[in-house]
PDB file of all heavy atoms in Angstrom:
ATOM      1  N   SER K  25     110.455 103.519  69.643  1.00  0.00           N
ATOM      2  CA  SER K  25     110.674 102.397  70.595  1.00  0.00           C
ATOM      3  C   SER K  25     111.776 102.732  71.634  1.00  0.00           C
ATOM      4  O   SER K  25     111.613 102.333  72.773  1.00  0.00           O
ATOM      5  CB  SER K  25     111.017 101.099  69.834  1.00  0.00           C
ATOM      6  OG  SER K  25     112.203 101.232  69.128  1.00  0.00           O
ATOM      7  N   GLU K  26     112.764 103.434  71.225  1.00  0.00           N
ATOM      8  CA  GLU K  26     113.809 103.846  72.170  1.00  0.00           C
ATOM      9  C   GLU K  26     113.316 104.823  73.179  1.00  0.00           C
ATOM     10  O   GLU K  26     113.623 104.712  74.382  1.00  0.00           O
ATOM     11  CB  GLU K  26     115.046 104.408  71.431  1.00  0.00           C
ATOM     12  CG  GLU K  26     115.864 103.423  70.657  1.00  0.00           C
ATOM     13  CD  GLU K  26     116.389 102.290  71.478  1.00  0.00           C
ATOM     14  OE1 GLU K  26     116.930 102.556  72.590  1.00  0.00           O
ATOM     15  OE2 GLU K  26     116.319 101.106  71.110  1.00  0.00           O
ATOM     16  N   GLU K  27     112.514 105.711  72.768  1.00  0.00           N
ATOM     17  CA  GLU K  27     111.985 106.670  73.655  1.00  0.00           C
ATOM     18  C   GLU K  27     110.937 106.006  74.682  1.00  0.00           C
ATOM     19  O   GLU K  27     110.954 106.381  75.836  1.00  0.00           O
ATOM     20  CB  GLU K  27     111.244 107.853  72.960  1.00  0.00           C
ATOM     21  CG  GLU K  27     112.189 108.751  72.162  1.00  0.00           C
ATOM     22  CD  GLU K  27     111.529 109.632  71.150  1.00  0.00           C
ATOM     23  OE1 GLU K  27     110.410 109.213  70.595  1.00  0.00           O
ATOM     24  OE2 GLU K  27     112.158 110.654  70.857  1.00  0.00           O
ATOM     25  N   ARG K  28     110.144 105.125  74.127  1.00  0.00           N
ATOM     26  CA  ARG K  28     109.201 104.353  74.995  1.00  0.00           C
ATOM     27  C   ARG K  28     109.947 103.616  76.064  1.00  0.00           C
ATOM     28  O   ARG K  28     109.648 103.536  77.215  1.00  0.00           O
ATOM     29  CB  ARG K  28     108.313 103.417  74.208  1.00  0.00           C
ATOM     30  CG  ARG K  28     107.291 104.167  73.341  1.00  0.00           C
ATOM     31  CD  ARG K  28     106.260 103.241  72.755  1.00  0.00           C
ATOM     32  NE  ARG K  28     106.823 102.199  72.008  1.00  0.00           N
ATOM     33  CZ  ARG K  28     107.017 102.182  70.656  1.00  0.00           C
ATOM     34  NH1 ARG K  28     106.685 103.302  70.018  1.00  0.00           N
ATOM     35  NH2 ARG K  28     107.506 101.150  70.109  1.00  0.00           N
ATOM     36  N   LYS K  29     111.059 102.935  75.629  1.00  0.00           N
ATOM     37  CA  LYS K  29     111.777 102.106  76.545  1.00  0.00           C
ATOM     38  C   LYS K  29     112.439 102.965  77.615  1.00  0.00           C
ATOM     39  O   LYS K  29     112.436 102.624  78.795  1.00  0.00           O
ATOM     40  CB  LYS K  29     112.957 101.348  75.811  1.00  0.00           C
ATOM     41  CG  LYS K  29     113.684 100.391  76.626  1.00  0.00           C
ATOM     42  CD  LYS K  29     114.732  99.600  75.793  1.00  0.00           C
ATOM     43  CE  LYS K  29     115.532  98.738  76.680  1.00  0.00           C
ATOM     44  NZ  LYS K  29     116.593  98.009  76.035  1.00  0.00           N
ATOM     45  N   ALA K  30     112.997 104.158  77.207  1.00  0.00           N
ATOM     46  CA  ALA K  30     113.660 105.079  78.217  1.00  0.00           C
ATOM     47  C   ALA K  30     112.530 105.556  79.204  1.00  0.00           C
ATOM     48  O   ALA K  30     112.792 105.715  80.383  1.00  0.00           O
ATOM     49  CB  ALA K  30     114.228 106.245  77.474  1.00  0.00           C
ATOM     50  N   CYS K  31     111.364 105.803  78.723  1.00  0.00           N
ATOM     51  CA  CYS K  31     110.257 106.280  79.546  1.00  0.00           C
ATOM     52  C   CYS K  31     109.848 105.171  80.566  1.00  0.00           C
ATOM     53  O   CYS K  31     109.719 105.367  81.776  1.00  0.00           O
ATOM     54  CB  CYS K  31     109.002 106.664  78.735  1.00  0.00           C
ATOM     55  SG  CYS K  31     107.491 107.043  79.691  1.00  0.00           S
ATOM     56  N   TRP K  32     109.664 103.971  80.108  1.00  0.00           N
ATOM     57  CA  TRP K  32     109.242 102.835  81.000  1.00  0.00           C
ATOM     58  C   TRP K  32     110.326 102.556  82.022  1.00  0.00           C
ATOM     59  O   TRP K  32     109.997 102.227  83.212  1.00  0.00           O
ATOM     60  CB  TRP K  32     108.933 101.581  80.166  1.00  0.00           C
ATOM     61  CG  TRP K  32     107.747 101.745  79.250  1.00  0.00           C
ATOM     62  CD1 TRP K  32     106.671 102.575  79.464  1.00  0.00           C
ATOM     63  CD2 TRP K  32     107.532 101.103  78.080  1.00  0.00           C
ATOM     64  NE1 TRP K  32     105.760 102.443  78.410  1.00  0.00           N
ATOM     65  CE2 TRP K  32     106.309 101.534  77.473  1.00  0.00           C
ATOM     66  CE3 TRP K  32     108.277 100.122  77.311  1.00  0.00           C
ATOM     67  CZ2 TRP K  32     105.780 101.101  76.254  1.00  0.00           C
ATOM     68  CZ3 TRP K  32     107.778  99.668  76.149  1.00  0.00           C
ATOM     69  CH2 TRP K  32     106.516 100.180  75.575  1.00  0.00           C
ATOM     70  N   GLU K  33     111.610 102.667  81.683  1.00  0.00           N
ATOM     71  CA  GLU K  33     112.719 102.435  82.586  1.00  0.00           C
ATOM     72  C   GLU K  33     112.716 103.529  83.640  1.00  0.00           C
ATOM     73  O   GLU K  33     112.919 103.305  84.840  1.00  0.00           O
ATOM     74  CB  GLU K  33     114.043 102.376  81.860  1.00  0.00           C
ATOM     75  CG  GLU K  33     114.260 101.088  81.099  1.00  0.00           C
ATOM     76  CD  GLU K  33     115.522 101.060  80.266  1.00  0.00           C
ATOM     77  OE1 GLU K  33     116.255 102.058  80.286  1.00  0.00           O
ATOM     78  OE2 GLU K  33     115.781  99.981  79.621  1.00  0.00           O
ATOM     79  N   ALA K  34     112.534 104.755  83.229  1.00  0.00           N
ATOM     80  CA  ALA K  34     112.475 105.948  84.215  1.00  0.00           C
ATOM     81  C   ALA K  34     111.181 105.720  85.165  1.00  0.00           C
ATOM     82  O   ALA K  34     111.294 105.962  86.318  1.00  0.00           O
ATOM     83  CB  ALA K  34     112.365 107.191  83.461  1.00  0.00           C
ATOM     84  N   ARG K  35     110.104 105.318  84.647  1.00  0.00           N
ATOM     85  CA  ARG K  35     108.919 105.044  85.454  1.00  0.00           C
ATOM     86  C   ARG K  35     109.215 103.898  86.448  1.00  0.00           C
ATOM     87  O   ARG K  35     108.929 104.039  87.658  1.00  0.00           O
ATOM     88  CB  ARG K  35     107.762 104.599  84.575  1.00  0.00           C
ATOM     89  CG  ARG K  35     106.524 104.168  85.369  1.00  0.00           C
ATOM     90  CD  ARG K  35     105.622 103.265  84.630  1.00  0.00           C
ATOM     91  NE  ARG K  35     106.299 102.032  84.226  1.00  0.00           N
ATOM     92  CZ  ARG K  35     105.896 101.151  83.346  1.00  0.00           C
ATOM     93  NH1 ARG K  35     104.745 101.400  82.722  1.00  0.00           N
ATOM     94  NH2 ARG K  35     106.538 100.049  83.033  1.00  0.00           N
ATOM     95  N   ASP K  36     109.890 102.835  86.046  1.00  0.00           N
ATOM     96  CA  ASP K  36     110.124 101.701  86.874  1.00  0.00           C
ATOM     97  C   ASP K  36     111.121 102.081  88.018  1.00  0.00           C
ATOM     98  O   ASP K  36     110.892 101.718  89.162  1.00  0.00           O
ATOM     99  CB  ASP K  36     110.690 100.462  86.100  1.00  0.00           C
ATOM    100  CG  ASP K  36     109.657  99.953  85.123  1.00  0.00           C
ATOM    101  OD1 ASP K  36     108.416 100.177  85.312  1.00  0.00           O
ATOM    102  OD2 ASP K  36     110.022  99.145  84.213  1.00  0.00           O
ATOM    103  N   LEU K  37     112.093 102.854  87.738  1.00  0.00           N
ATOM    104  CA  LEU K  37     113.017 103.368  88.672  1.00  0.00           C
ATOM    105  C   LEU K  37     112.273 104.242  89.684  1.00  0.00           C
ATOM    106  O   LEU K  37     112.603 104.122  90.920  1.00  0.00           O
ATOM    107  CB  LEU K  37     114.199 104.100  88.058  1.00  0.00           C
ATOM    108  CG  LEU K  37     115.221 103.240  87.249  1.00  0.00           C
ATOM    109  CD1 LEU K  37     116.207 104.136  86.426  1.00  0.00           C
ATOM    110  CD2 LEU K  37     115.901 102.337  88.201  1.00  0.00           C
ATOM    111  N   LEU K  38     111.444 105.069  89.233  1.00  0.00           N
ATOM    112  CA  LEU K  38     110.704 105.970  90.136  1.00  0.00           C
ATOM    113  C   LEU K  38     109.872 105.114  91.038  1.00  0.00           C
ATOM    114  O   LEU K  38     109.829 105.377  92.289  1.00  0.00           O
ATOM    115  CB  LEU K  38     109.813 106.946  89.364  1.00  0.00           C
ATOM    116  CG  LEU K  38     108.956 107.838  90.235  1.00  0.00           C
ATOM    117  CD1 LEU K  38     109.678 108.728  91.244  1.00  0.00           C
ATOM    118  CD2 LEU K  38     107.945 108.636  89.323  1.00  0.00           C
ATOM    119  N   TRP K  39     109.094 104.221  90.503  1.00  0.00           N
ATOM    120  CA  TRP K  39     108.147 103.401  91.293  1.00  0.00           C
ATOM    121  C   TRP K  39     108.928 102.564  92.325  1.00  0.00           C
ATOM    122  O   TRP K  39     108.488 102.393  93.468  1.00  0.00           O
ATOM    123  CB  TRP K  39     107.307 102.553  90.444  1.00  0.00           C
ATOM    124  CG  TRP K  39     106.236 103.262  89.694  1.00  0.00           C
ATOM    125  CD1 TRP K  39     106.100 104.612  89.627  1.00  0.00           C
ATOM    126  CD2 TRP K  39     105.133 102.706  88.998  1.00  0.00           C
ATOM    127  NE1 TRP K  39     104.972 104.934  88.881  1.00  0.00           N
ATOM    128  CE2 TRP K  39     104.376 103.796  88.493  1.00  0.00           C
ATOM    129  CE3 TRP K  39     104.789 101.436  88.731  1.00  0.00           C
ATOM    130  CZ2 TRP K  39     103.205 103.616  87.717  1.00  0.00           C
ATOM    131  CZ3 TRP K  39     103.622 101.245  87.952  1.00  0.00           C
ATOM    132  CH2 TRP K  39     102.813 102.279  87.455  1.00  0.00           C
ATOM    133  N   LYS K  40     110.141 102.060  91.962  1.00  0.00           N
ATOM    134  CA  LYS K  40     110.923 101.274  92.833  1.00  0.00           C
ATOM    135  C   LYS K  40     111.388 102.159  93.988  1.00  0.00           C
ATOM    136  O   LYS K  40     111.332 101.760  95.191  1.00  0.00           O
ATOM    137  CB  LYS K  40     112.104 100.644  92.091  1.00  0.00           C
ATOM    138  CG  LYS K  40     112.982  99.799  93.145  1.00  0.00           C
ATOM    139  CD  LYS K  40     114.118  99.097  92.456  1.00  0.00           C
ATOM    140  CE  LYS K  40     114.961  98.255  93.338  1.00  0.00           C
ATOM    141  NZ  LYS K  40     114.855  98.404  94.709  1.00  0.00           N
ATOM    142  N   CYS K  41     111.828 103.374  93.693  1.00  0.00           N
ATOM    143  CA  CYS K  41     112.319 104.266  94.713  1.00  0.00           C
ATOM    144  C   CYS K  41     111.130 104.676  95.707  1.00  0.00           C
ATOM    145  O   CYS K  41     111.284 104.672  96.896  1.00  0.00           O
ATOM    146  CB  CYS K  41     112.835 105.587  94.071  1.00  0.00           C
ATOM    147  SG  CYS K  41     113.386 106.825  95.266  1.00  0.00           S
ATOM    148  N   MET K  42     109.988 104.894  95.128  1.00  0.00           N
ATOM    149  CA  MET K  42     108.863 105.228  95.940  1.00  0.00           C
ATOM    150  C   MET K  42     108.399 103.989  96.814  1.00  0.00           C
ATOM    151  O   MET K  42     108.052 104.232  97.968  1.00  0.00           O
ATOM    152  CB  MET K  42     107.660 105.710  95.069  1.00  0.00           C
ATOM    153  CG  MET K  42     107.991 107.085  94.457  1.00  0.00           C
ATOM    154  SD  MET K  42     106.679 107.756  93.383  1.00  0.00           S
ATOM    155  CE  MET K  42     105.444 108.103  94.661  1.00  0.00           C
ATOM    156  N   ASP K  43     108.535 102.834  96.312  1.00  0.00           N
ATOM    157  CA  ASP K  43     108.217 101.621  97.079  1.00  0.00           C
ATOM    158  C   ASP K  43     109.230 101.560  98.277  1.00  0.00           C
ATOM    159  O   ASP K  43     108.881 101.234  99.434  1.00  0.00           O
ATOM    160  CB  ASP K  43     108.226 100.364  96.250  1.00  0.00           C
ATOM    161  CG  ASP K  43     107.090 100.200  95.326  1.00  0.00           C
ATOM    162  OD1 ASP K  43     106.029 100.898  95.594  1.00  0.00           O
ATOM    163  OD2 ASP K  43     107.192  99.408  94.374  1.00  0.00           O
ATOM    164  N   ASP K  44     110.455 101.836  97.970  1.00  0.00           N
ATOM    165  CA  ASP K  44     111.544 101.719  98.977  1.00  0.00           C
ATOM    166  C   ASP K  44     111.491 102.814 100.028  1.00  0.00           C
ATOM    167  O   ASP K  44     111.933 102.672 101.075  1.00  0.00           O
ATOM    168  CB  ASP K  44     112.932 101.758  98.338  1.00  0.00           C
ATOM    169  CG  ASP K  44     113.193 100.573  97.468  1.00  0.00           C
ATOM    170  OD1 ASP K  44     112.435  99.506  97.578  1.00  0.00           O
ATOM    171  OD2 ASP K  44     114.120 100.583  96.603  1.00  0.00           O
ATOM    172  N   HIS K  45     110.801 103.970  99.683  1.00  0.00           N
ATOM    173  CA  HIS K  45     110.773 105.017 100.593  1.00  0.00           C
ATOM    174  C   HIS K  45     109.326 105.448 101.010  1.00  0.00           C
ATOM    175  O   HIS K  45     108.986 106.616 101.268  1.00  0.00           O
ATOM    176  CB  HIS K  45     111.408 106.353  99.909  1.00  0.00           C
ATOM    177  CG  HIS K  45     112.881 106.182  99.763  1.00  0.00           C
ATOM    178  ND1 HIS K  45     113.426 105.799  98.604  1.00  0.00           N
ATOM    179  CD2 HIS K  45     113.912 106.383 100.639  1.00  0.00           C
ATOM    180  CE1 HIS K  45     114.756 105.722  98.778  1.00  0.00           C
ATOM    181  NE2 HIS K  45     115.057 106.073  99.955  1.00  0.00           N
ATOM    182  N   SER K  46     108.468 104.428 101.040  1.00  0.00           N
ATOM    183  CA  SER K  46     107.108 104.653 101.527  1.00  0.00           C
ATOM    184  C   SER K  46     106.308 105.701 100.773  1.00  0.00           C
ATOM    185  O   SER K  46     105.647 106.589 101.466  1.00  0.00           O
ATOM    186  CB  SER K  46     107.087 104.774 103.011  1.00  0.00           C
ATOM    187  OG  SER K  46     107.663 103.806 103.735  1.00  0.00           O
ATOM    188  N   ASP K  47     106.463 105.804  99.486  1.00  0.00           N
ATOM    189  CA  ASP K  47     105.801 106.772  98.608  1.00  0.00           C
ATOM    190  C   ASP K  47     106.155 108.224  98.939  1.00  0.00           C
ATOM    191  O   ASP K  47     105.409 109.150  98.671  1.00  0.00           O
ATOM    192  CB  ASP K  47     104.283 106.519  98.661  1.00  0.00           C
ATOM    193  CG  ASP K  47     103.833 105.340  97.944  1.00  0.00           C
ATOM    194  OD1 ASP K  47     104.577 104.896  96.991  1.00  0.00           O
ATOM    195  OD2 ASP K  47     102.760 104.725  98.302  1.00  0.00           O
ATOM    196  N   ASN K  48     107.392 108.428  99.544  1.00  0.00           N
ATOM    197  CA  ASN K  48     107.823 109.772  99.767  1.00  0.00           C
ATOM    198  C   ASN K  48     108.465 110.330  98.519  1.00  0.00           C
ATOM    199  O   ASN K  48     109.632 110.001  98.192  1.00  0.00           O
ATOM    200  CB  ASN K  48     108.812 109.741 100.936  1.00  0.00           C
ATOM    201  CG  ASN K  48     109.269 111.161 101.381  1.00  0.00           C
ATOM    202  OD1 ASN K  48     109.004 112.132 100.617  1.00  0.00           O
ATOM    203  ND2 ASN K  48     110.063 111.226 102.406  1.00  0.00           N
ATOM    204  N   VAL K  49     107.701 111.190  97.842  1.00  0.00           N
ATOM    205  CA  VAL K  49     108.162 111.763  96.548  1.00  0.00           C
ATOM    206  C   VAL K  49     109.448 112.586  96.711  1.00  0.00           C
ATOM    207  O   VAL K  49     110.310 112.582  95.899  1.00  0.00           O
ATOM    208  CB  VAL K  49     107.084 112.563  95.858  1.00  0.00           C
ATOM    209  CG1 VAL K  49     107.536 113.196  94.552  1.00  0.00           C
ATOM    210  CG2 VAL K  49     105.835 111.667  95.635  1.00  0.00           C
ATOM    211  N   ALA K  50     109.578 113.256  97.858  1.00  0.00           N
ATOM    212  CA  ALA K  50     110.749 114.120  98.108  1.00  0.00           C
ATOM    213  C   ALA K  50     112.010 113.320  98.095  1.00  0.00           C
ATOM    214  O   ALA K  50     113.082 113.801  97.601  1.00  0.00           O
ATOM    215  CB  ALA K  50     110.579 114.905  99.391  1.00  0.00           C
ATOM    216  N   SER K  51     112.003 112.099  98.499  1.00  0.00           N
ATOM    217  CA  SER K  51     113.160 111.236  98.524  1.00  0.00           C
ATOM    218  C   SER K  51     113.536 110.714  97.140  1.00  0.00           C
ATOM    219  O   SER K  51     114.602 110.221  96.908  1.00  0.00           O
ATOM    220  CB  SER K  51     112.966 109.963  99.494  1.00  0.00           C
ATOM    221  OG  SER K  51     112.672 110.445 100.765  1.00  0.00           O
ATOM    222  N   CYS K  52     112.611 110.850  96.282  1.00  0.00           N
ATOM    223  CA  CYS K  52     112.818 110.335  94.841  1.00  0.00           C
ATOM    224  C   CYS K  52     112.819 111.427  93.762  1.00  0.00           C
ATOM    225  O   CYS K  52     112.471 111.166  92.668  1.00  0.00           O
ATOM    226  CB  CYS K  52     111.719 109.273  94.569  1.00  0.00           C
ATOM    227  SG  CYS K  52     111.724 107.946  95.791  1.00  0.00           S
ATOM    228  N   GLN K  53     113.152 112.634  94.236  1.00  0.00           N
ATOM    229  CA  GLN K  53     112.976 113.738  93.352  1.00  0.00           C
ATOM    230  C   GLN K  53     113.774 113.629  91.980  1.00  0.00           C
ATOM    231  O   GLN K  53     113.295 113.966  90.888  1.00  0.00           O
ATOM    232  CB  GLN K  53     113.366 115.076  94.067  1.00  0.00           C
ATOM    233  CG  GLN K  53     112.992 116.286  93.255  1.00  0.00           C
ATOM    234  CD  GLN K  53     111.510 116.340  92.905  1.00  0.00           C
ATOM    235  OE1 GLN K  53     110.638 116.178  93.779  1.00  0.00           O
ATOM    236  NE2 GLN K  53     111.138 116.614  91.689  1.00  0.00           N
ATOM    237  N   ARG K  54     114.975 113.071  92.041  1.00  0.00           N
ATOM    238  CA  ARG K  54     115.819 112.900  90.814  1.00  0.00           C
ATOM    239  C   ARG K  54     115.157 111.890  89.846  1.00  0.00           C
ATOM    240  O   ARG K  54     115.187 112.121  88.693  1.00  0.00           O
ATOM    241  CB  ARG K  54     117.252 112.630  91.186  1.00  0.00           C
ATOM    242  CG  ARG K  54     117.498 111.275  91.575  1.00  0.00           C
ATOM    243  CD  ARG K  54     118.970 111.021  91.942  1.00  0.00           C
ATOM    244  NE  ARG K  54     119.138 109.583  92.415  1.00  0.00           N
ATOM    245  CZ  ARG K  54     119.940 108.749  91.768  1.00  0.00           C
ATOM    246  NH1 ARG K  54     120.589 109.121  90.730  1.00  0.00           N
ATOM    247  NH2 ARG K  54     119.960 107.546  92.222  1.00  0.00           N
ATOM    248  N   PHE K  55     114.518 110.858  90.475  1.00  0.00           N
ATOM    249  CA  PHE K  55     113.834 109.818  89.616  1.00  0.00           C
ATOM    250  C   PHE K  55     112.547 110.519  89.051  1.00  0.00           C
ATOM    251  O   PHE K  55     112.212 110.261  87.890  1.00  0.00           O
ATOM    252  CB  PHE K  55     113.518 108.614  90.403  1.00  0.00           C
ATOM    253  CG  PHE K  55     114.693 107.872  90.811  1.00  0.00           C
ATOM    254  CD1 PHE K  55     115.111 107.818  92.187  1.00  0.00           C
ATOM    255  CD2 PHE K  55     115.443 107.099  89.942  1.00  0.00           C
ATOM    256  CE1 PHE K  55     116.210 107.142  92.588  1.00  0.00           C
ATOM    257  CE2 PHE K  55     116.629 106.437  90.316  1.00  0.00           C
ATOM    258  CZ  PHE K  55     116.963 106.436  91.655  1.00  0.00           C
ATOM    259  N   GLN K  56     111.897 111.364  89.830  1.00  0.00           N
ATOM    260  CA  GLN K  56     110.699 112.011  89.348  1.00  0.00           C
ATOM    261  C   GLN K  56     111.020 112.905  88.178  1.00  0.00           C
ATOM    262  O   GLN K  56     110.398 112.954  87.165  1.00  0.00           O
ATOM    263  CB  GLN K  56     109.988 112.783  90.438  1.00  0.00           C
ATOM    264  CG  GLN K  56     108.804 113.536  90.090  1.00  0.00           C
ATOM    265  CD  GLN K  56     107.587 112.628  89.839  1.00  0.00           C
ATOM    266  OE1 GLN K  56     107.407 111.602  90.504  1.00  0.00           O
ATOM    267  NE2 GLN K  56     106.755 112.992  88.890  1.00  0.00           N
ATOM    268  N   SER K  57     112.130 113.675  88.336  1.00  0.00           N
ATOM    269  CA  SER K  57     112.547 114.556  87.252  1.00  0.00           C
ATOM    270  C   SER K  57     112.916 113.809  85.954  1.00  0.00           C
ATOM    271  O   SER K  57     112.500 114.282  84.883  1.00  0.00           O
ATOM    272  CB  SER K  57     113.676 115.403  87.731  1.00  0.00           C
ATOM    273  OG  SER K  57     113.324 116.208  88.850  1.00  0.00           O
ATOM    274  N   ALA K  58     113.597 112.722  86.116  1.00  0.00           N
ATOM    275  CA  ALA K  58     113.964 111.931  84.988  1.00  0.00           C
ATOM    276  C   ALA K  58     112.756 111.362  84.351  1.00  0.00           C
ATOM    277  O   ALA K  58     112.595 111.351  82.992  1.00  0.00           O
ATOM    278  CB  ALA K  58     114.931 110.812  85.378  1.00  0.00           C
ATOM    279  N   PHE K  59     111.783 110.921  85.108  1.00  0.00           N
ATOM    280  CA  PHE K  59     110.540 110.371  84.591  1.00  0.00           C
ATOM    281  C   PHE K  59     109.794 111.458  83.767  1.00  0.00           C
ATOM    282  O   PHE K  59     109.336 111.188  82.691  1.00  0.00           O
ATOM    283  CB  PHE K  59     109.717 109.861  85.790  1.00  0.00           C
ATOM    284  CG  PHE K  59     108.307 109.477  85.471  1.00  0.00           C
ATOM    285  CD1 PHE K  59     107.995 108.416  84.441  1.00  0.00           C
ATOM    286  CD2 PHE K  59     107.214 110.011  86.133  1.00  0.00           C
ATOM    287  CE1 PHE K  59     106.723 108.041  84.234  1.00  0.00           C
ATOM    288  CE2 PHE K  59     105.962 109.569  85.874  1.00  0.00           C
ATOM    289  CZ  PHE K  59     105.676 108.580  84.902  1.00  0.00           C
ATOM    290  N   GLU K  60     109.686 112.612  84.287  1.00  0.00           N
ATOM    291  CA  GLU K  60     109.030 113.713  83.623  1.00  0.00           C
ATOM    292  C   GLU K  60     109.750 114.199  82.391  1.00  0.00           C
ATOM    293  O   GLU K  60     109.081 114.560  81.453  1.00  0.00           O
ATOM    294  CB  GLU K  60     108.768 114.847  84.590  1.00  0.00           C
ATOM    295  CG  GLU K  60     107.734 114.534  85.685  1.00  0.00           C
ATOM    296  CD  GLU K  60     107.673 115.681  86.710  1.00  0.00           C
ATOM    297  OE1 GLU K  60     108.342 116.622  86.664  1.00  0.00           O
ATOM    298  OE2 GLU K  60     106.897 115.434  87.642  1.00  0.00           O
TER     299      GLU K  60
END
């Protein structure tokens, strides 16, 4: 459950960053790395 929660939080942070930066993955690379 802790690993799932960490994964979902990383996903949510990445998606928020991508929403804020018009889906520009380069602007959200640190969130992408954390998600992966």
Side-chain angles (χ1 to χ4, degrees):
S25 64
E26 288 299 315
E27 292 168 331
R28 288 191 306 268
K29 185 177 179 185
C31 174
W32 295 331
E33 287 174 359
R35 176 205 59 195
D36 293 344
L37 289 171
L38 172 62
W39 286 11
K40 181 177 180 345
C41 179
M42 291 180 69
D43 287 341
D44 293 345
H45 293 94
S46 302
D47 288 332
N48 184 352
V49 177
S51 299
C52 303
Q53 191 56 49
R54 73 182 179 120
F55 294 108
Q56 180 71 35
S57 296
F59 173 56
E60 291 173 0

